[in-house]
Amino acid sequence: MRYAYALTSALLLGGTAAAFSFQPPAGAQTAQNEPGAIASTAPRAGAPMSFADLVARLQPAVVNISTTQRVTVQQSNPFAGTPFEQFFGGPRGGGASPRTQEAQSLGSGFLISADGYVVTNNHVVSAGTASAVVESITVTLSDRREFKARLVGRDAASDLAVLKIEGATFPFVRFGDSRQARVGDWVVAIGNPFGLSGSVTAGIVSAINRVTGGGTYDRFIQTDAAINRGNSGGPMFDLQGNVIGINSQILSPTGGNIGIGLAIPAEQAKPIVDKLMRGQAIERGYLGVGIQPIDENIGAALGLPKDRGELISRVEPGEAAAKAGIRQGDVVVAVNGKEVTPEQTLSYLVANTAPGTRIPVELLRDGKRQTVTVTVGKRPPEEQLAQFNPEDDSGMPQEEAPQDTGAASLGIGVTPLTPSIARSIGVDPAVKGVVVTGTDPSSDAAGKGIRRGDVIVSVNRTPVANAADVARQVAQAKAAGRDQVLLFVQRRGQGIYMPVRIGG
C-alpha cells in the first residue's frame, strides 16, 4: 500500500507542476517524460487489478514433468592395486567397475490440445549426462492426476519437445502472438520451480530479441518475473491469457532468480511445435561458412563500423556459399533484405530460411558492396559441426621466442610454410602462408592465443608467403592510421580471423 500511495502522490505533483510550466513552441523538441505526454499508469480497460481470475483459468493447463533416468557410473574399488582386488568386485588391473543408479529430473510444461499434446523444453526430457538413459516421463496435472507420457518429437537446437498423454478432455491453452509483446508489458509465469508445483510469478517484459550467445537461435523474451530451476518448459502468459513464451533459461551466478529470466518467443516455438506434432523433421538453412562478428577490434582493422555485418572466416567447399561465390574475407551485411546485426545474426537469418530457397546476400568485398544470389542448403546435425578452438594447442610444437624481425611489430616470428613443415604440424601441404615460429609473451598476438605452429594465411585479407609480405601489410596499415591488422590464422585445417594490435 505504501508504494501505491507514493505513486499516486508523484502523479498529482507532476500534474500540478504542469499547470505552471511554459508551453514549448509548436514543433519544438520536448522531454520524453513531458507532463501530459505519457498516458495514465492506471490499468487500461480489461487489465485485471488482480491476477487471481487469470491464474485460476490458466493453471489447469500447466503441468509438471518428471523423468526417471538410469545412469551408469564408475565405482571405485578401495582394494585396487592390492592382492585383494580380485576378491572385491574390481576387474584385475582395472581399479573400477561400472554400476547403474537411478536419477530424476523435474520441469514444467503445458497442454496445447484437449487430446493431450504437451509442450516443454528439450532439456527437461533429455538425459542429464552422456551415460544416462531416460526410462520414463511422467506428466502430473494440477489436480494431481499422473500420466505416462510418450515423446512425440524433440529439437535440441531450439530446446523444444512435444509429449503425448492419453485422454480426450484435457484443459489446454493456445499460443499468442509474441511479436505484439512490448518492453514493459505485464507477463505471468506458471511452473514447477524447485519442485513446488503450481507456482505463479508475475513481472514485466524486460527486453525482446535478447541474444545471450548460447546458440544460433537464442532470441529470447527477457522478463523479471521470477524464473527458477524447474520453471523450464512452463508457459509465459500475457494478460489476455495467451502463451507468448516458453520459459527456458535464467542468467544467474548462483542458480537462483536474480530477475533475468529468458523465454523462447511463441513466434519461434509454434512452427517447430506444429512440425513435431506432425512427426516432421526440423530442417534449417545452411550456407557452409565460418563467421565472426565485426567487433570493435575487427572493425578497426578493416576500417568498418562495429556491430554491423559478419566476417566470413571459412567457406566449406561444395556448400551453398561456395557455389554462390562467397569468399573468405567477405563481410555479409544483409540477407534477403534483412540487416545482419548482433540481434539478427547471419546464422539466425539463414537458419530460419527454408533449404532450397534462393535469396540475395549483400556483402562487402575489398570495400565494395555487391550482391550474390544463394540457394540455401540444409544444415547438418549439430554434432557434425565442429568449431575451431584457438586455445586447443595439443600436438603443437613447443613455443619459443621470435627469431626474425619480419613481423616483430606484431610480437611474432614467422617463416615460409614449406610442405615438410605443413606435414609436421598437420596442415594441408597445399595451404600457402607463413608459420609462426614463436611469440612474444607480452604481445597482443600472444594474448589472442596465437602461438608457434599456427599458420598465417593472410594479413588484412591479403595473402602472405614470407615475413616481407607480413611487414608490407603492417606498414600499409600504419600508413592508413590503423593500429591493428586482421590476421587469418589456421590450425589443423580450421581457420579464424584475429585482429592483432601493432606494437611500437
Side-chain angles (χ1 to χ4, degrees):
M1 273 315 272
R2 189 178 300 123
Y3 177 79
Y5 283 128
L7 179 60
T8 303
S9 300
L11 290 172
L12 291 173
L13 288 172
T16 303
F20 294 96
S21 64
F22 292 103
Q23 295 298 317
Q29 176 115 11
T30 61
Q32 296 298 104
N33 55 350
E34 191 75 24
I38 300 176
S40 171
T41 57
R44 57 189 175 188
M49 294 302 293
S50 167
F51 299 119
D53 291 339
L54 181 74
V55 170
R57 184 72 179 175
L58 299 174
Q59 200 163 32
V62 181
V63 302
N64 297 337
I65 298 174
S66 61
T67 68
T68 300
Q69 303 181 21
R70 186 64 58 184
V71 184
T72 301
V73 297
Q74 292 295 323
Q75 183 176 13
S76 298
N77 182 355
F79 296 99
T82 75
F84 299 101
E85 176 180 353
Q86 59 182 314
F87 300 109
F88 291 92
R92 185 179 296 272
S97 60
R99 65 181 180 89
T100 60
Q101 63 185 30
E102 191 174 277
Q104 293 183 327
S105 68
L106 292 173
S108 305
F110 55 99
L111 285 149
I112 58 170
S113 70
D115 59 346
Y117 281 95
V118 177
V119 173
T120 187
N121 285 147
N122 177 64
H123 75 261
V124 170
V125 294
S126 297
T129 65
S131 61
V133 176
V134 176
E135 294 188 327
S136 66
I137 304 172
T138 301
V139 170
T140 305
L141 274 59
S142 62
D143 59 10
R144 301 193 179 183
R145 285 184 294 163
E146 293 187 356
F147 297 84
K148 292 298 180 184
R150 172 173 58 90
L151 180 63
V152 175
R154 69 196 327 158
D155 180 49
S158 62
D159 194 21
L160 293 170
V162 174
L163 310 176
K164 179 69 167 66
I165 58 177
E166 294 307 316
T169 58
F170 294 113
F172 66 96
V173 290
R174 302 183 189 278
F175 282 107
D177 187 357
S178 59
R179 294 171 297 181
Q180 302 302 316
R182 301 187 307 161
V183 174
D185 281 349
W186 279 106
V187 289
V188 174
I190 306 177
N192 182 38
F194 302 112
L196 302 174
S197 61
S199 292
V200 181
T201 56
I204 63 169
V205 173
S206 302
I208 57 175
N209 296 332
R210 174 67 75 201
V211 176
T212 63
T216 303
Y217 317 105
D218 60 342
R219 294 216 309 176
F220 296 107
I221 298 173
Q222 180 184 329
T223 180
D224 67 346
I227 305 295
N228 287 287
R229 292 181 179 179
N231 274 114
S232 289
M236 173 189 287
F237 295 105
D238 63 17
L239 291 197
Q240 285 70 51
N242 299 310
V243 179
I244 61 169
I246 302 173
N247 300 317
S248 178
Q249 296 182 20
I250 59 174
L251 293 183
S252 171
T254 63
N257 171 63
I258 60 168
I260 304 179
L262 302 167
I264 304 168
E267 65 170 307
Q268 292 179 220
K270 189 176 186 304
I272 295 173
V273 168
D274 289 344
K275 287 186 176 181
L276 293 176
M277 289 177 64
R278 295 192 296 265
Q280 297 177 352
I282 307 300
E283 295 185 348
R284 294 183 170 86
Y286 184 65
L287 287 185
V289 295
I291 53 179
Q292 294 178 244
I294 305 295
D295 60 15
E296 185 173 359
N297 292 329
I298 291 180
L302 294 178
L304 297 173
K306 68 173 183 176
D307 296 339
R308 286 294 179 271
E310 290 187 320
L311 180 64
I312 302 298
S313 62
R314 183 182 73 258
V315 179
E316 298 290 345
E319 297 292 349
K323 293 176 181 177
I326 294 177
R327 304 175 188 170
Q328 175 191 309
D330 288 344
V331 176
V332 176
V333 294
V335 174
N336 204 19
K338 298 179 180 178
E339 190 176 26
V340 176
T341 66
E343 293 76 31
Q344 189 167 255
T345 63
L346 176 59
S347 292
Y348 179 84
L349 291 171
V350 173
N352 285 280
T353 303
T357 307
R358 288 171 57 84
I359 57 174
V361 174
E362 297 178 48
L363 52 86
L364 294 173
R365 180 180 295 165
D366 300 325
K368 298 179 180 178
R369 199 179 188 105
Q370 57 183 279
T371 301
V372 299
T373 300
V374 178
T375 300
V376 178
K378 179 180 175 181
R379 187 175 179 86
E382 298 298 319
E383 57 268 17
Q384 295 182 15
L385 301 176
Q387 295 182 347
F388 171 60
N389 179 9
E391 297 302 318
D392 179 11
D393 65 347
S394 58
M396 290 291 183
Q398 294 299 310
E399 189 171 338
E400 62 182 37
Q403 298 298 315
D404 63 79
T405 59
S409 60
L410 299 179
I412 59 176
V414 297
T415 191
L417 178 64
T418 64
S420 61
I421 294 176
R423 284 191 295 270
S424 70
I425 60 176
V427 173
D428 188 337
V431 172
K432 305 297 182 184
V434 295
V435 64
V436 175
T437 59
T439 60
D440 180 349
S442 63
S443 67
D444 185 49
K448 296 287 176 59
I450 296 176
R451 62 202 61 180
R452 176 177 168 84
D454 287 345
V455 175
I456 298 174
V457 177
S458 67
V459 179
N460 281 347
R461 296 181 296 175
T462 299
V464 293
N466 50 50
D469 289 344
V470 176
R472 189 177 303 113
Q473 293 305 314
V474 171
Q476 290 180 8
K478 286 182 176 180
R482 299 177 188 168
D483 63 353
Q484 300 186 63
V485 293
L486 190 66
L487 308 183
F488 184 71
V489 182
Q490 194 172 97
R491 184 180 295 166
R492 293 195 212 88
Q494 300 293 317
I496 189 171
Y497 282 99
M498 291 186 181
V500 173
R501 194 169 301 279
I502 301 171

